[in-house]
Amino acid sequence: MKIHFSNQGNLRNFRNFVNSVDFSEPEKLEISTHDKWIAVHPANIVIAAALALKVGRKNACILGKVPKTGLYLDRMGLYSLTNTSSPFAYDKKESSGRFVPLTIIKTANEQSHFC
């Protein structure tokens, strides 16, 4: 499978994003990005994360040189679901109040943290 994060990843372009996902080769996932900058809606990241979980970490990767705006992919936790190391070095701050990073919920107790 192949996913591309473009520079037009807002919600109004969600249909274009979903239609551009290449589901061939379902045993692996390759994520690519626009070369200069990206704009990614959280829904797009969730789809990428779900597919990365489906194929497994060793079969998911983020290809090429990711622009500086790709730091968002790391902050949201997408790199931790792939076999690609994050190219970004920064001080991680507490995310509460700003965003909720990708979180895998397996039990009802884990779900209650978000209610």
Side-chain angles (χ1 to χ4, degrees), residues 68-89:
K68 289 182 181 180
T69 52
L71 174 66
Y72 181 67
L73 302 178
D74 188 37
R75 287 294 284 147
M76 291 300 286
L78 189 60
Y79 276 93
S80 66
L81 300 176
T82 69
N83 67 2
T84 305
S85 298
S86 173
F88 303 104

Side-chain angles (χ1 to χ4, degrees), residues 7-114:
N7 57 4
Q8 298 181 12
N10 47 36
L11 194 54
R12 71 173 177 237
N13 293 328
F14 184 70
R15 181 175 292 182
N16 292 337
F17 171 76
V18 170
N19 289 337
S20 73
V21 176
D22 177 357
F23 289 102
S24 64
E25 300 183 70
E27 68 283 348
K28 69 177 187 174
L29 174 65
E30 295 177 346
I31 301 169
S32 61
T33 65
H34 186 273
D35 58 341
K36 298 211 188 285
W37 62 282
I38 60 173
V40 182
H41 190 275
N44 299 4
I45 290 181
V46 168
I47 289 173
L51 293 175
L53 287 170
K54 180 175 175 55
V55 300
R57 184 174 186 203
K58 66 180 179 158
N59 295 319
C61 65
I62 300 174
L63 302 172
K65 184 177 184 291
V66 178
K68 289 182 181 180
T69 52
L71 174 66
Y72 181 67
L73 302 178
D74 188 37
R75 287 294 284 147
M76 291 300 286
L78 189 60
Y79 276 93
S80 66
L81 300 176
T82 69
N83 67 2
T84 305
S85 298
S86 173
F88 303 104
Y90 59 96
D91 292 328
K92 291 185 180 180
K93 297 178 182 173
E94 175 63 35
S95 61
S96 63
R98 293 185 195 99
F99 61 90
V100 177
L102 290 167
T103 305
I104 300 168
I105 299 171
K106 296 181 181 178
T107 68
N109 275 348
E110 292 172 348
Q111 182 180 6
S112 67
H113 292 288
F114 296 100

